[in-house]
């Protein structure tokens, strides 16, 4: 009995392959987007972790200083004077290479004799220990990963030409590292290893180290750690490698959550699609179900039949979605890691890593979402009595009654959404949950709003176009159980698009205004080069003096972007030499007076960026304890200023205060202010003549353009995901319209029989789909505005600590409306074409 | 060329359909002549091709070969568009399962064929009201089809088939879904209205009850049309 019963259901599905395919597509796309984001994001971070783990080897802790590096004497003191053995000094920098100017190799300088306990992987080359000796004894010798060497067409004995602040240098390759595993191969991609002294020589980092790795035994961690920490100068920190990874992870947390939310948005839209298709599949079979009930099949058996089908669809869709997700993940890996690279930290190697847990999550999500989506149609199927299973209109009138309950539920969800959004204080997750609740709530309002809109359209179009004008709105209203869901899915996607567009637009305008205010100088000189290099500060200082002497130059400002330590963790600091004009580049959150700048220059004070204040929960008047060589020093916060250059924030202090406690690392940039009326082109040309090779000169316009380009690039992945969600919604609308037209075949056949031409029929179907798009677009506009508001004032503020001004761009709203109409019209073309080509006689014979 | 006196002329009409990859013949080389104002009954078992022949006559299906002349016009040579326009002006359909548009009221269903021809005028509404009055449906003008009984729906369907004054009315099993008494009422109404207006009616049925009102009775048997006599 059960086998035949299942066959009855299965045969129905097989006779409607389009709907079957669309149901599978819904699950597949929803699962694929979620798993792709999860995989790409996780892989980018895992790649970073794997590379760091390979580089750090067995080290458990790391001794770090500021960007000026550690003094090599510290290492000698710890090892020789205090007898600490488990220490490995490292110098690390990035080197552009002549063989491939686009590529920067991560150069790691080591002490081969202390390395064995820490990292033995680099000794896996064919020359093994002998190569280690050559690294120490032969000048400019280095080792390269086998894969990297092959990519560059190099082998043992060849030369690698690298460029540093001190010029071009030739490194002799003495061995190729052959990692033992695929993961290690990836991690060691683009890495060059040399003896510390070799790297110190070619970079000019004489007497400097980047960090010292150490192994603190698990048996007595506290005593060893305390002893070691006590031996360190005040501006040097001992941190655990795991803590460093965690802080890296925390940095990207907000970014990860926001990206995952975009994936979930696709799944939400996908769920509507699954729900829609499953509802169609159940409702279309009301005749079959009625007949089965008539011959004694129980509700439980019907339920089991539908759930079995849904499970089967879910399993196939999830399997396909997982496969597609892997492909999409691979495609997304590059843009996601590029964004992480731009915003947070450098990722050297990239490979997609898949864990069983991620696959498990995808399976749970795909099957869970399908089961969730099938519950309402299942309840509907169980309502069919053998008698009323045959009448559509009764079902629809039931649905119309249901729209009132759905309306109330929608209003409730919207209220909860607002409450969650505004009362959850700092949680990003709850902020995003609020967006989802609002979207879902408004989606539930859609059927009621659609009925009202259709009623109004019917009155207007009826007056103008008679009965034919009344038909499209009536058809939408009459089949609200299906049209409503399709409109809701489209509305969600378009509202999300409008919301995201308005948010990005507002952000863009805010950043533009900020850049215009911040970029006060006429020309900027960007000073590259390794900060720890011995003569960098002196060279920078000479350059500044040379620029100041130019006749066209009125004054110059300088900045040094670096890092100092606070609470054992690095904190970004900008040390400024400000001119009166450059002070105008700071916009403070609160009112300030001239006294602020005097205190900034003369006292132990800082000003902090808005993201720093937000993430560290500090306000003007508080103090921050910074690690200096003279121990902890308190710096009073004078004010909080707007800054959109990074989402973790930074401190700003006067250069005088900075130099009081930290070493001179030169400048990162020099702002040049010209005398009023001077020829900027001539000044630029004269500046270029004075610039040493490798330094860049940029007008404030060029910096503005480059910054906006970075801005656009960081939103590339968000844009891609938004379009994916819109694409899924389009598939949803397309599927719903296809299914509607399938079911309506006979009705459309009658219209053809009584004299409606194929052209009129196409017009009728397109008007209907256009009206559906119009309704979705009209509802999406206020919802999109609301989404933008929540994103700007709740989600992004909590995620990144940025205040943005809401910028209402009416073009975005019009584009959203047109997108909805266009998507719906496009989705209606195929059904219209198919119906127009169907012989009326065939249409009348349809089931 | 159709003979001058015949309103409908079928010449060598053949229709096949495909089933499981093979061609099945419904009828072959049919010949038929019908004069204007005649009432012709088509008999035959289920699946014999009665509905298919009506579909061909109404221009909603195309034959594999042969010609269909109605009022001197060969339907088989017309484009899809021209056939639709011909149907719009000159054909009225009555279906077994009524086939009313569920999203339109009784009055709107009735006026739709007229609106496809021209903009609805006041006299069209009067004509529809009179027709519905004759069919005792005046009280159901604004009712949707799903609220009507089977007999009422079929009466609306008849009114819709006649409202635009067609030359030919094609009725496919119009009493098939009705009980005996209601079926008789519907048939007598159809007969009366069609005869009154001098239209030609071709009625497909497998019920022999309606033979009394027919001018000619044909049976489709073994892919051919056989006149059964009175």
């Amino acid at each position: 009995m059960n086998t035949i019963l299942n066959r009855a259901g299965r045969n129905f599905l097989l006779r409607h392959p389009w709907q079957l395919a669309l149901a599978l597509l819904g699950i597949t796309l929803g699962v694929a987007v979620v798993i792709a984001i999860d995989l790409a994001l996780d892989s980018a971070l895992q790649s970073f972790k794997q590379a760091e783990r390979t580089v750090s080897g067995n080290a458990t802790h790391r001794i770090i200083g500021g960007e000026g590096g550690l003094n090599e004497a510290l290492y000698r003191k710890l090892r020789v004077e205090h007898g600490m053995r488990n220490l490995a000094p490292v110098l690390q920098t990035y080197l552009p290479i002549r063989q491939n100017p686009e590529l920067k190799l991560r150069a790691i300088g080591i002490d081969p004799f202390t390395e064995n306990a820490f990292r033995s992987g680099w000794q896996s080359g064919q020359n093994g220990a002998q190569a280690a000796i050559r690294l120490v004894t032969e000048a400019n010798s280095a080792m390269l990963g086998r894969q990297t060497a092959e990519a560059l067409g190099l082998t043992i004995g060849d030369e690698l030409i690298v460029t540093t602040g001190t010029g071009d240098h030739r490194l002799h390759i003495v061995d190729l590292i052959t990692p033992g595993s695929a993961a290690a191969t990836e991690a060691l991609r683009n890495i060059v290893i040399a003896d510390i002294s070799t790297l110190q020589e070619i970079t000019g980092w004489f007497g400097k180290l980047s960090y010292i790795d150490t192994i603190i035994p698990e048996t007595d961690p506290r005593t060893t750690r305390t002893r070691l920490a006590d031996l360190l100068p005040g501006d040097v920190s001992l941190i655990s490698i795991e803590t460093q990874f965690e802080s890296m992870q925390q940095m990207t947390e907000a970014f990860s959550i926001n990206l995952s939310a975009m994936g979930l948005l696709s799944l939400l839209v996908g769920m509507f699609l699954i729900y829609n298709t499953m509802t169609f599949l159940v409702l279309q079979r009301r005749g079959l179900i009625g007949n089965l009930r008539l011959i004694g099949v129980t509700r439980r058996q019907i339920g089991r039949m539908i759930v079995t089908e849904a499970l089967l669809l879910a399993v196939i869709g999830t399997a396909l979605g997982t496969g597609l997700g892997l492909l999409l993940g691979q495609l997304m890996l590059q843009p996601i890691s590029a964004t992480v690279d731009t915003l947070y930290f450098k990722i050297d190697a990239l490979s997609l890593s898949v864990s069983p847990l991620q696959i498990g999550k995808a399976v749970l999500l795909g099957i869970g979402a399908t089961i969730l989506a099938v519950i309402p149609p299942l309840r509907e199927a169980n309502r069919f009595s053998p008698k009323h299973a045959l009448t559509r209109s009764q079902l629809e009138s039931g649905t119309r009654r249901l729209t009132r309950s759905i309306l109330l539920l929608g209003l409730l969800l919207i209220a909860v959404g607002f409450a969650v959004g505004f009362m959850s204080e700092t949680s990003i997750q709850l902020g995003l949950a609020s967006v989802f609740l609002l979207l879902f709530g408004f989606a539930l309002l859609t059927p009621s709003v659609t009925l009202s809109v259709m009623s109004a359209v019917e009155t207007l179009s009826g007056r103008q176009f008679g009965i034919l004008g009344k038909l499209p709105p009536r058809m939408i209203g009459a089949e609200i159980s299906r049209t409503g869901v399709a409109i809701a899915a489209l509305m969600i996607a378009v509202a999300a698009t409008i919301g995201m567009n308005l948010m990005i637009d507002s952000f863009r305008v805010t950043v533009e205004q900020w850049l215009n205010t911040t970029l006060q100088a006429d020309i900027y000189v960007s000073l590259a080069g390794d900060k720890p290099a011995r003569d960098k500060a002196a060279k920078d200082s000479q350059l500044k003096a040379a620029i100041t002497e130019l006749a066209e130059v009125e004054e110059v400002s300088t900045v040094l972007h670096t890092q100092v330590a606070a609470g054992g963790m690095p904190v970004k600091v900008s040390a400024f030499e400000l001119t009166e004009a450059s002070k105008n580049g700071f916009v403070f959150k609160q009112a300030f007076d001239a006294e602020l700048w005097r205190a900034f220059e003369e006292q132990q004070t800082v000003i902090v960026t808005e993201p720093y204040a937000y993430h560290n929960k500090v306000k003007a008047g508080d103090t921050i304890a910074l690690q200096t060589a003279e121990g902890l020093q308190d710096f009073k916060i004078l004010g909080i200023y707007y800054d959109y250059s990074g989402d973790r924030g930074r401190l700003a202090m006067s250069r005088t205060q900075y130099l009081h406690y930290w070493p001179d690392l030169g400048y990162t940039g020099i702002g040049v202010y010209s005398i009023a009326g001077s020829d900027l082109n001539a000044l630029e040309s004269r500046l270029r003549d004075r610039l040493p090779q490798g330094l860049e000169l940029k007008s404030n316009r060029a910096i503005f353009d480059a910054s906006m380009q970075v801005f656009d690039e960081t939103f590339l992945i968000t844009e891609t995901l938004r379009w994916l969600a819109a694409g899924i919604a389009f598939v949803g609308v397309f599927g719903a319209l296809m299914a509607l037209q399938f079911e309506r075949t006979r009705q459309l056949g009658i219209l053809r029989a009584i004299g409606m031409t194929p052209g009129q029929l196409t017009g009728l179907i397109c008007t209907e789909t256009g009206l559906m798009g119009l309704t979705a677009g009209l509802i999406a506009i206020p919802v999109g505005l609301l989404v933008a508001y929540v994103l700007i004032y709740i989600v992004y503020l909590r995620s990144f600590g940025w205040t943005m001004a809401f910028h209402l761009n009416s073009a975005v709203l019009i584009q959203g409306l047109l997108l909805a109409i266009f998507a719906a019209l496009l989705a209606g073309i195929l059904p219209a074409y198919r119906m127009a080509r169907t012989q009326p006689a065939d249409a009348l014979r349809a089931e | 060329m159709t003979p001058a006196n015949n309103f409908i002329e079928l010449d060598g009409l053949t229709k096949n359909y495909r089933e499981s990859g093979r061609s099945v013949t419904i009828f072959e080389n049919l010949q038929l002549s019908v004069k204007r104002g005649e009432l012709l009954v088509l008999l035959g078992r289920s699946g014999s091709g009665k509905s298919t022949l009506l579909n061909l006559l109404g221009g909603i299906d195309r034959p594999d070969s042969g010609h269909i002349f109605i009022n001197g016009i060969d339907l088989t040579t017309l484009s899809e568009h021209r056939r639709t326009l011909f149907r719009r002006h000159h054909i009225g359909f009555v279906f077994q399962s009524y086939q009313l548009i569920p999203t339109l009221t009784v009055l709107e269903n009735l006026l739709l064929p007229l609106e496809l021809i021209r903009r609805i005028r006041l006299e069209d509404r009067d004509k529809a009201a009179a027709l519905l009055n004759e069919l005792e449906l005046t009280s159901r003008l604004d009712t949707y089809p799903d609220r009507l009984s089977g007999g009422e729906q079929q009466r609306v369907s008849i009114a819709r088939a006649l409202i635009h004054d067609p030359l030919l009315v094609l009725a496919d099993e119009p009493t098939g879904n009705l009980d005996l008494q209601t079926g008789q009422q519907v048939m007598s109404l159809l007969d009366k209205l069609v005869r009154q207006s001098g239209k030609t009616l071709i009625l497909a049925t497998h019920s022999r009850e309606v033979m009394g009102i027919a001018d000619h009775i044909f049976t489709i048997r073994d892919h051919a049309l056989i006149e059964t006599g009175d």
Side-chain angles (χ1 to χ4, degrees):
Chain A
M1 173 67 191
N2 264 340
T3 316
I4 296 173
L5 181 64
N6 286 339
R7 198 181 301 155
R10 204 168 53 237
N11 285 347
F12 181 89
L13 290 180
L14 294 174
R15 286 173 69 178
H16 295 81
W18 268 99
Q19 277 168 274
L20 189 61
L22 286 167
L24 281 175
L25 196 62
I27 305 168
T28 303
L29 288 178
V31 171
V33 175
V34 175
I35 195 170
I37 293 172
D38 194 29
L39 281 178
L41 202 56
D42 207 52
S43 297
L45 298 179
Q46 284 304 324
S47 295
F48 169 78
K49 260 190 177 180
Q50 180 65 40
E52 290 308 304
R53 283 225 162 85
T54 308
V55 169
S56 56
N58 298 327
T60 60
H61 289 70
R62 184 165 285 175
I63 298 167
I64 57 166
E67 272 196 289
L70 295 172
N71 199 322
E72 205 174 23
L74 175 66
Y75 172 65
R76 276 198 299 275
K77 179 180 142 190
L78 293 172
R79 196 172 179 90
V80 179
E81 290 175 26
H82 299 283
M84 307 204 78
R85 285 289 171 263
N86 278 338
L87 298 172
V90 178
L91 192 157
Q92 182 184 292
T93 187
Y94 284 87
L95 299 175
I97 55 166
R98 177 81 68 79
Q99 280 92 338
N100 181 356
E102 296 291 304
L103 184 68
K104 273 190 172 180
L105 292 184
R106 184 180 185 181
I108 299 175
I110 53 167
D111 175 359
F113 298 118
T114 63
E115 273 293 301
N116 271 349
F118 287 82
R119 297 159 274 257
S120 53
W122 60 270
Q123 292 184 40
S124 59
Q126 63 191 65
N127 299 326
Q130 205 193 347
I133 295 167
R134 290 181 69 187
L135 282 186
V136 181
T137 56
E138 290 179 20
N140 285 3
S141 55
M143 292 160 73
L144 206 54
R146 183 171 293 279
Q147 209 181 28
T148 311
E150 281 169 5
L152 292 169
L154 299 172
T155 187
I156 296 172
D158 287 348
E159 283 183 339
L160 179 73
I161 305 169
V162 297
T163 308
T164 71
T166 60
D168 284 355
H169 302 273
R170 291 169 184 274
L171 291 175
H172 306 285
I173 301 170
V174 294
D175 205 358
L176 298 180
I177 312 162
T178 313
S181 66
T185 307
E186 277 304 322
L188 288 173
R189 189 193 287 266
N190 300 337
I191 280 183
V192 58
I193 289 172
D195 180 63
I196 285 183
S197 59
T198 303
L199 273 192
Q200 282 176 331
E201 203 159 310
I202 65 170
T203 56
W205 288 39
F206 298 106
K208 292 289 173 104
L209 300 173
S210 296
Y211 51 85
I212 302 168
D213 276 343
T214 175
I215 300 170
I216 295 179
E218 276 180 33
T219 45
D220 186 19
R222 191 161 288 277
T223 316
T224 315
R225 203 171 61 208
T226 312
R227 189 176 155 234
L228 186 55
D230 287 346
L231 295 170
L232 301 178
D235 56 347
V236 175
S237 309
L238 174 69
I239 57 164
S240 99
I241 301 278
E242 277 311 311
T243 310
Q244 199 177 23
F245 287 156
E246 275 167 28
S247 77
M248 292 286 193
Q249 195 119 7
Q250 271 172 13
M251 262 190 220
T252 57
E253 193 187 13
F255 174 71
S256 304
I257 292 172
N258 279 287
L259 221 52
S260 302
M262 291 298 288
L264 285 173
L265 176 69
S266 297
L267 191 74
L268 180 68
V269 177
M271 262 180 78
F272 269 85
L273 179 51
I274 301 165
Y275 163 76
N276 206 15
T277 316
M278 289 310 298
T279 308
F280 266 104
L281 290 176
V282 170
L283 293 187
Q284 276 187 332
R285 274 183 290 183
R286 61 194 178 277
L288 170 72
I289 292 169
N291 289 340
L292 289 173
R293 296 269 294 114
L294 205 65
I295 60 168
V297 176
T298 64
R299 283 186 169 154
R300 187 184 287 262
Q301 283 173 310
I302 297 286
R304 204 179 299 142
M305 179 179 90
I306 290 165
V307 169
T308 308
E309 272 172 27
L311 270 176
L312 198 68
L313 284 176
V315 168
I316 299 171
T318 304
L320 292 172
T322 308
L324 185 65
L326 288 171
L327 279 174
L328 268 178
Q330 188 70 53
L331 290 175
M332 283 182 186
L333 186 56
Q334 186 52 44
I336 284 183
S337 63
T339 311
V340 173
D341 216 294
T342 309
L343 295 178
Y344 306 103
F345 43 79
K346 189 156 177 54
I347 298 175
D348 293 301
L350 266 185
S351 67
L352 197 71
S353 52
V354 186
S355 71
L357 185 73
Q358 283 166 320
I359 300 293
K361 250 182 353 190
V363 170
L364 208 67
L365 219 57
I367 294 176
T370 310
I371 295 298
L372 215 62
V374 87
I375 290 173
L378 183 66
R379 285 167 58 90
E380 195 67 38
N382 276 334
R383 280 199 320 125
F384 295 163
S385 69
K387 177 179 154 280
H388 93 244
L390 299 169
T391 60
R392 250 309 308 272
S393 54
Q394 274 174 294
L395 277 178
E396 287 299 343
S397 60
T399 308
R400 273 170 183 255
R401 276 195 300 277
L402 200 64
T403 51
R404 271 165 244 149
S405 315
I406 291 172
L407 175 78
L408 291 176
L409 182 64
L411 290 172
L412 182 71
L413 284 182
I414 292 167
V416 174
F418 275 120
V420 167
F422 289 103
M423 290 161 73
S424 55
E425 293 183 351
T426 57
S427 165
I428 306 167
Q429 285 92 335
L430 287 176
L432 283 165
S434 142
V435 174
F436 277 85
L437 281 167
L438 289 173
L439 278 174
F440 199 66
F442 278 102
L444 295 183
L445 300 193
T446 303
S448 296
V449 176
T450 303
L451 287 174
S452 307
V453 171
M454 288 312 127
S455 172
V457 171
E458 188 191 318
T459 311
L460 289 173
S461 64
R463 254 182 236 150
Q464 195 65 31
F465 305 107
I467 299 163
L468 283 175
K470 286 180 183 175
L471 259 179
R474 286 252 182 104
M475 283 164 134
I476 293 170
E479 279 152 349
I480 194 70
S481 70
R482 295 88 183 282
T483 51
V485 179
I487 294 169
L490 186 61
M491 184 280 288
I492 285 187
V494 175
T497 300
I498 291 176
M500 293 292 293
N501 265 345
L502 284 177
M503 187 276 290
I504 295 174
D505 224 52
S506 299
F507 195 11
R508 172 179 263 278
V509 170
T510 307
V511 170
E512 277 175 355
Q513 285 170 349
W514 171 72
L515 281 171
N516 279 328
T517 312
T518 305
L519 299 171
Q520 292 281 329
D522 298 309
I523 297 168
Y524 288 87
V525 182
S526 168
L527 294 99
D530 290 321
K531 292 190 182 93
R534 185 190 282 169
D535 56 352
K536 183 179 186 305
K539 278 185 184 169
D540 289 356
S541 195
Q542 284 164 12
L543 179 68
K544 183 193 160 195
I547 293 171
T548 314
E549 280 168 12
L550 289 172
E552 297 92 336
V553 175
E554 180 164 5
E555 53 185 355
V556 296
S557 64
T558 70
V559 66
L560 165 68
H561 295 308
T562 184
Q563 288 185 354
V564 300
M569 297 305 289
V571 178
K572 287 183 177 175
V573 166
S574 300
F576 285 103
E577 269 181 313
L578 296 172
T579 62
E580 281 311 308
S582 59
K583 285 174 187 165
N584 295 332
F586 291 85
V587 179
F588 287 89
K589 280 192 85 169
Q590 74 289 343
F592 71 100
D593 51 29
E595 186 58 27
L596 182 143
W597 288 119
R598 200 188 55 76
F600 180 77
E601 293 294 341
E602 295 170 8
Q603 295 167 15
Q604 200 159 296
T605 56
V606 288
I607 52 176
V608 302
T609 65
E610 189 189 21
Y612 183 91
Y614 182 81
H615 292 304
N616 295 281
K617 297 182 177 61
V618 291
K619 55 186 187 307
D622 290 352
T623 54
I624 300 171
L626 299 177
Q627 290 172 235
T628 73
E630 295 168 30
L632 280 180
Q633 293 292 330
D634 284 338
F635 286 77
K636 187 182 173 194
I637 300 172
L638 292 171
I640 297 163
Y641 67 100
Y642 293 106
D643 178 283
Y644 301 90
S645 62
D647 69 357
R648 300 308 300 171
R650 61 173 60 240
L651 311 174
M653 62 177 70
S654 72
R655 188 170 171 84
T656 319
Q657 293 300 323
Y658 172 81
L659 291 178
H660 196 71
Y661 292 109
W662 292 279
D664 187 357
L665 303 175
Y667 307 119
T668 310
I670 298 174
V672 182
Y673 294 78
S674 64
I675 291 171
S678 51
D679 181 352
L680 280 181
N681 289 333
L683 174 60
E684 200 171 320
S685 163
R686 293 188 64 190
L687 278 170
R688 272 188 210 288
D689 294 341
R690 277 168 174 71
L691 283 192
Q693 203 185 355
L695 299 195
E696 269 190 282
L697 197 68
K698 277 184 183 164
S699 67
N700 60 12
R701 189 69 235 171
I703 292 184
F704 181 91
D705 292 342
S707 304
M708 291 319 293
Q709 195 183 337
V710 171
F711 176 89
D712 290 336
E713 281 166 10
T714 54
F715 276 103
L716 188 69
I717 189 72
T718 316
E719 297 260 348
T720 311
L721 291 174
R722 191 156 47 84
W723 283 113
L724 265 174
I728 295 173
F730 171 73
V731 172
V733 178
F734 178 76
L737 292 177
M738 282 294 281
L740 261 177
Q741 304 313 333
F742 274 129
E743 194 172 86
R744 235 188 239 157
T745 303
R746 186 182 266 198
Q747 194 182 328
L748 297 174
I750 304 165
L751 291 171
R752 290 279 286 112
I754 63 172
M756 193 174 262
T757 61
Q760 282 177 312
L761 198 69
T762 304
L764 179 74
I765 294 172
C766 287
T767 308
E768 186 189 355
T769 58
L771 273 176
M772 287 172 73
L774 178 73
T775 311
L778 287 175
I779 305 173
I781 288 176
V783 180
L785 282 166
L786 199 62
V787 168
Y789 183 86
V790 176
L791 284 175
I792 290 171
Y793 293 112
I794 295 180
V795 178
Y796 267 60
L797 180 66
R798 287 179 192 177
S799 299
F800 308 112
W802 289 314
T803 298
M804 289 182 247
F806 194 104
H807 176 71
L808 181 59
N809 183 351
S810 53
V812 170
L813 306 183
I814 294 165
Q815 277 166 13
L817 184 64
L818 292 178
L819 172 73
I821 296 172
F822 179 71
L825 278 176
L826 203 64
I829 285 174
L830 187 64
Y833 174 76
R834 187 178 166 275
M835 279 313 303
R837 281 177 60 92
T838 304
Q839 283 291 327
D842 294 333
L844 286 168
R845 271 194 292 271
E847 279 176 29
Chain B
M1 187 66 77
T2 177
N5 289 339
N6 292 331
F7 174 62
I8 298 171
E9 187 77 26
L10 303 185
D11 180 19
L13 202 65
T14 299
K15 179 72 182 171
N16 303 304
Y17 69 94
R18 296 198 72 78
E19 189 181 78
S20 307
R22 65 191 178 89
S23 178
V24 178
T25 301
I26 306 176
F27 36 74
E28 200 170 11
N29 199 25
L30 287 193
Q31 307 289 337
L32 177 71
S33 302
V34 182
K35 290 196 171 58
R36 187 185 293 267
E38 282 187 334
L39 195 160
L40 189 142
V41 169
L42 279 177
L43 292 175
R45 289 182 184 164
S46 293
S48 60
K50 303 187 294 292
S51 299
T52 306
L53 184 56
L54 290 191
N55 288 345
L56 291 170
L57 284 164
I60 59 173
D61 204 354
R62 305 190 75 158
D64 291 305
S65 61
H67 296 275
I68 303 165
F69 294 96
I70 297 176
N71 205 26
I73 296 164
D74 186 355
L75 285 192
T76 59
T77 60
L78 297 183
S79 67
E80 175 64 42
H81 184 74
R82 303 286 304 168
R83 266 190 293 136
T84 304
L85 295 185
F86 179 85
R87 194 162 61 238
R88 180 187 286 182
H89 286 92
H90 304 304
I91 309 283
F93 275 104
V94 180
F95 298 99
Q96 178 180 352
S97 45
Y98 331 126
Q99 309 286 33
L100 298 172
I101 305 295
T103 47
L104 297 179
T105 62
V106 165
L107 183 63
E108 287 166 343
N109 261 288
L110 206 58
L111 290 173
L112 183 60
L114 274 181
E115 195 177 85
L116 288 171
I117 296 169
R118 58 172 185 265
R119 198 167 176 83
I120 300 289
R121 298 188 288 244
L122 196 59
E123 56 263 39
D124 293 327
R125 290 184 184 275
D126 292 344
K127 186 180 177 185
L131 198 51
L132 287 171
N133 187 37
E134 199 162 348
L135 293 166
E136 295 172 21
L137 286 167
T138 309
S139 60
R140 316 304 298 266
L141 287 184
D142 296 321
T143 309
Y144 284 92
D146 61 337
R147 302 284 169 197
L148 301 177
S149 69
E152 285 173 323
Q153 287 193 57
Q154 196 57 296
R155 279 186 275 155
V156 177
S157 173
I158 291 169
R160 182 180 67 181
L162 295 170
I163 188 83
H164 56 302
D165 220 8
L167 294 172
L168 171 65
V169 177
L170 300 167
D172 189 0
E173 306 269 12
T175 58
N177 280 355
L178 303 174
D179 62 59
L180 186 65
Q181 197 187 346
T182 314
Q184 281 170 346
Q185 284 170 358
V186 164
M187 272 319 303
S188 92
L189 263 173
L190 187 62
D191 180 38
K192 183 181 139 199
L193 290 172
V194 171
R195 296 276 188 197
Q196 241 174 26
S197 54
K199 299 178 198 325
T200 307
L201 170 66
I202 300 182
L203 194 151
T205 180
H206 51 243
S207 153
R208 293 187 170 265
E209 309 275 331
V210 295
M211 289 195 303
I213 59 169
D215 295 322
H216 298 282
I217 300 165
F218 283 89
T219 303
I220 302 181
R221 193 186 300 149
D222 299 330
H223 318 309
L225 261 181
I226 299 154
E227 180 145 21
T228 329
D230 51 4

